[in-house]
Amino acid sequence: MKSTLQLFDFSKRIDYKTEILAGLTVAMTMIPESLSFAILAGFPPLTGLYAAFIMGLVTAILGGRPGLVSGGAGATVIVLIALMKSNGIEYVFAAVALAGIIQIIVGLFKLGKFVRLVPQPVMFGFVNGLAVIIFMSQLEQFKTLVNGEVTWLSGTALYVMLALVALTIAIVILLPKFTKAIPASLVAIIVVFLVVFFFGIDTKLVKNIASVSGGFPPFHIPRIPFNLETLKIIFPYGLIMAGVGLTEGLLTLNLVDEITDSKGNGNRESIAQGIANMLNGFFTGMGGCPMIAQTLVNLSAGARARLSGIIAALTILLIILIGAPIIERVPMAALVGVMMMVAIGTFEWMSFKVINKMPKQDIFIGILVAVITVWLHNLALAVLIGVIISALVFAWESAKRIRANKYVGEDGAKYYEIYGPLFFASVANFNDKFDVSGDPENVIIDFKDSRIYDMSGIDALNKLTERYKLANKRLHLKHLSNDCKRLLQNADGIIEVNVMEDPDYRVAVEK
C-alpha cells in the first residue's frame, strides 16, 4: 500500500489543507483548457471534461510520481483531429483505447527510457509547433454561421469578441503581478463571465457550441466494425497518440523530478497513462497525458502528495454532475483568451535567444519539426522525422571522425591504429585508409580506440580480410570483440583477439 498510494503513507507528513486547495485550483485551471481543446478538435465538450476526470484520477492514484497532473491535453488531442474529421468520434474512442494499450506495453517492457533519444532541437520544434497550432485554432471562434455558410464575425459582434478576449488576456498578464494566490486564468474567466452576465452582452457562449451537462462517464464500447480494416485506420493514430503522450509525459516527469529533487518512475507512469487512456476509450473521454501548466500550478501551490490530483479530478466530476448550467454560460471569448495565453506560454521563446549559438543543422531540424507540426497537425510524425534527421546528421558527423595512425613496426609489419566508430556511414572512409598492394606481408589493424557498431562495419572487415588474403598477405585484427570474430567467417586462423580489452557499453536503465 505504501508504494502504491502515497496518499496513505502516513510516515510522511502531508499538509491536507495545502493539498485540497491545490487540487481545487488545478481543477479550475484544467476545466477551461479541457473544454477548449475538445471544442478545438470538434469533439463534444463533455469528452474533454470526462478525459480530465479519468486521466486525473487514475494517474493521481497509479502514476509514477506524486504531484504530476494529467488531463485532456492539447498535444494528444491535436493528433486525433484528422481522424475525427474523416471517421467520426467512435473511431476516436477506439484509437484512444488502443493508444492506452500501447502505453501499457511500453511501461511493462520498460521502454520509457528511450525518450532520451529525442534531441533538444526536436523538442524546440515540437513545442513551438504545438503552440502555433493552439494559437491559430482559436481564430476559428471568430467565425460564425450565416445562411448555412461559415463566415468571419464583423461589426459589433467582432468588436465585442475582441474586447472580451483582450480583457481576458490583460487579466492573465497583470494579475500575477499583484497576487498568485488564485490562478489568473480562473479569475479572468470569472470576470468575463460576470461582465457578460450583468451587462447582458450578446456574445458566443459555451452552450452555443454544445452542452456540457451530463452524468457519470458512461461505459461505451466504440461502435465500429471490429476487423482488420478498422485496425489499419486507427492504429497509426493510436500509435502516434501513445508516442506523443509518453514523450510529453516523461519529459514532464523529469521536470517534476528536478523541481522536487526526487525521483519518479517513468515506466510506472507509462502504465498509469495507458490504463487511463484505455478507460477513456471505453468511457467516452478524449484521452490525454500529463499537462505541464497544471503540474506547475499544482507544485507552486505547495502540493507534493497524490491527494491534490485526486481532489482535482473529483472536483471536475462534481462540476459535470451539478455545475453544467454555469459552465454553459461561460463566454467563448474567455476560453479563447486563456488558450491564446497558454499558446504564448507554451512557445519556447528561449529558442530565439540561443538560435545564433546553435549549429546550423539543429536550427534546420527545429524549424522543420515546427513546420511539419503546423502543416500536418501530426506531432508524432514531426518528432519522428526530426529524430531521424538528427540521427543521420550525427551519423554523417561521426563518419568523418574515423582516422588511422599508420606506421611500420620494428618487426616489419604495417600497423593501422584506428580511431573513431566503424559503422555504415564511415565504411567508405575506412576502406580508403588501406594500401593493400603496397603493404608488407604482415598487416595489423588495432581497434583499441575504435568500435564496430553494425553489420556494415563487420562486412567491411570481412571484405578487407579477403582482399589481403587474395594478395597472399596476413591481416591481424587486434582488440576486436568476440561477436565480430564469429561473423568474420573468412578470417578464421589469422585474427588476434583480445576480448578483455574490448569494453562493453551499456545504457543506464531505471531500477
Side-chain angles (χ1 to χ4, degrees):
M1 180 69 72
K2 179 177 178 180
S3 62
T4 304
L5 296 175
Q6 188 175 338
L7 169 64
F8 303 111
D9 181 7
F10 294 106
S11 65
K12 295 184 179 180
R13 184 179 179 276
I14 297 177
D15 188 335
Y16 288 94
K17 178 182 177 181
T18 298
E19 294 292 324
I20 292 172
L21 291 177
L24 294 174
T25 302
V26 168
M28 292 302 102
T29 59
M30 192 182 295
I31 287 171
E33 284 200 40
S34 298
L35 284 173
S36 298
F37 284 132
I39 293 170
L40 156 66
F43 303 155
L46 208 54
T47 63
L49 297 182
Y50 283 158
F53 164 63
I54 296 172
M55 294 295 303
L57 183 63
V58 173
T59 58
I61 296 174
L62 302 177
R65 66 155 305 112
L68 193 66
V69 177
S70 297
T76 53
V77 171
I78 289 174
V79 171
L80 302 171
I81 291 178
L83 181 61
M84 176 65 185
K85 291 181 178 179
S86 61
N87 296 89
I89 193 67
E90 296 295 329
Y91 281 80
V92 169
F93 292 147
V96 170
L98 180 60
I101 294 173
I102 295 172
Q103 289 175 326
I104 292 174
I105 293 173
V106 169
L108 290 176
F109 285 91
K110 300 183 178 181
L111 303 177
K113 59 182 175 289
F114 288 106
V115 71
R116 71 186 69 180
L117 295 178
V118 180
Q120 191 61 43
V122 175
M123 287 308 306
F124 278 148
F126 164 78
V127 171
N128 291 344
L130 174 61
V132 172
I133 289 176
I134 293 174
F135 189 91
M136 296 299 294
S137 64
Q138 302 311 308
L139 300 181
E140 292 297 315
Q141 300 306 324
F142 287 88
K143 296 180 180 179
T144 187
L145 197 63
V146 178
N147 298 326
E149 295 184 2
V150 177
T151 182
W152 290 95
L153 292 174
S154 59
T156 303
L158 175 61
Y159 299 141
V160 168
M161 187 76 169
L162 289 173
L164 294 175
V165 170
L167 175 61
T168 303
I169 293 175
I171 294 173
V172 172
I173 293 176
L174 297 177
L175 184 63
K177 299 181 182 298
F178 299 98
T179 179
K180 296 182 180 180
I182 305 176
S185 59
L186 176 61
V187 173
I189 292 171
I190 293 174
V191 170
V192 173
F193 170 83
L194 294 176
V195 168
V196 171
F197 180 78
F198 285 110
F199 289 94
I201 298 175
D202 183 19
T203 187
K204 186 187 296 186
L205 307 177
V206 169
K207 68 179 180 181
N208 299 132
I209 306 299
S211 173
V212 299
S213 61
F216 192 84
F219 178 74
H220 172 78
I221 298 177
R223 292 192 294 268
I224 58 173
F226 290 90
N227 53 39
L228 184 59
E229 290 302 317
T230 299
L231 182 61
K232 289 180 180 179
I233 294 173
I234 66 173
F235 181 76
Y237 293 96
L239 182 63
I240 292 169
M241 179 181 174
V244 169
L246 288 177
T247 300
E248 185 155 325
L250 294 175
L251 291 174
T252 305
L253 185 142
N254 291 338
L255 176 63
V256 178
D257 287 349
E258 294 177 6
I259 293 174
T260 61
D261 193 22
S262 59
K263 182 65 176 176
N265 188 319
N267 294 313
R268 178 174 167 178
E269 182 64 31
S270 299
I271 295 174
Q273 295 291 323
I275 293 173
N277 274 316
M278 191 166 62
L279 290 175
N280 264 277
F282 289 103
F283 284 89
T284 66
M286 67 182 184
C289 68
M291 304 177 75
I292 296 178
Q294 277 65 33
T295 297
L296 294 177
V297 167
N298 191 41
L299 296 176
S300 63
R304 291 296 183 271
R306 299 180 184 273
L307 180 58
S308 60
I310 296 173
I311 292 296
L314 294 178
T315 300
I316 292 171
L317 178 62
L318 287 176
I319 290 175
I320 294 173
L321 297 177
I322 62 177
I326 297 176
I327 299 298
E328 288 180 348
R329 296 188 62 85
V330 171
M332 284 303 301
L335 300 184
V336 169
V338 168
M339 293 307 298
M340 284 184 171
M341 291 308 298
V342 168
I344 293 172
T346 300
F347 197 91
E348 287 281 4
W349 299 100
M350 185 185 71
S351 57
F352 289 121
K353 296 181 181 179
V354 300
I355 194 168
N356 60 337
K357 301 178 182 179
M358 296 170 62
K360 293 181 180 179
Q361 59 267 25
D362 287 349
I363 298 173
F364 169 76
I365 290 170
I367 294 175
L368 178 64
V369 171
V371 170
I372 294 175
T373 302
V374 174
W375 183 27
L376 300 180
H377 284 207
N378 192 327
L379 303 180
L381 178 61
V383 170
L384 179 62
I385 292 175
V387 170
I388 291 174
I389 294 178
S390 297
L392 292 176
V393 170
F394 173 78
W396 178 258
E397 293 298 321
S398 298
K400 295 189 296 185
R401 294 178 182 175
I402 193 165
R403 63 191 190 280
N405 180 30
K406 312 172 189 177
Y407 64 92
V408 177
E410 295 180 357
D411 56 359
K414 179 73 171 288
Y415 284 82
Y416 289 87
E417 293 179 347
I418 305 299
Y419 299 89
L422 177 58
F423 65 114
F424 68 91
S426 61
V427 165
N429 289 338
F430 173 77
N431 289 328
D432 290 341
K433 308 298 181 186
F434 299 94
D435 181 11
V436 177
S437 61
D439 282 344
E441 183 178 349
N442 288 303
V443 176
I444 299 173
I445 305 178
D446 191 343
F447 282 91
K448 182 179 180 180
D449 295 307
S450 182
R451 181 77 179 176
I452 301 171
Y453 284 92
D454 61 4
M455 190 59 201
S456 296
I458 298 292
D459 184 62
L461 284 179
N462 196 33
K463 291 179 179 177
L464 185 63
T465 302
E466 290 179 343
R467 288 169 60 194
Y468 275 105
K469 196 173 184 179
L470 291 174
N472 294 319
K473 297 177 181 180
R474 295 178 60 83
L475 177 65
H476 303 270
L477 309 179
K478 297 182 65 175
H479 299 138
L480 197 64
S481 59
N482 201 37
D483 55 340
C484 295
K485 180 185 176 183
R486 288 196 300 269
L487 292 173
L488 288 171
Q489 298 174 355
N490 294 333
D492 289 344
I494 60 171
I495 300 176
E496 295 181 3
V497 180
N498 189 338
V499 179
M500 295 299 295
E501 294 186 26
D502 190 64
D504 288 329
Y505 298 97
R506 301 182 183 276
V507 178
V509 296
E510 296 180 70
K511 294 183 178 179

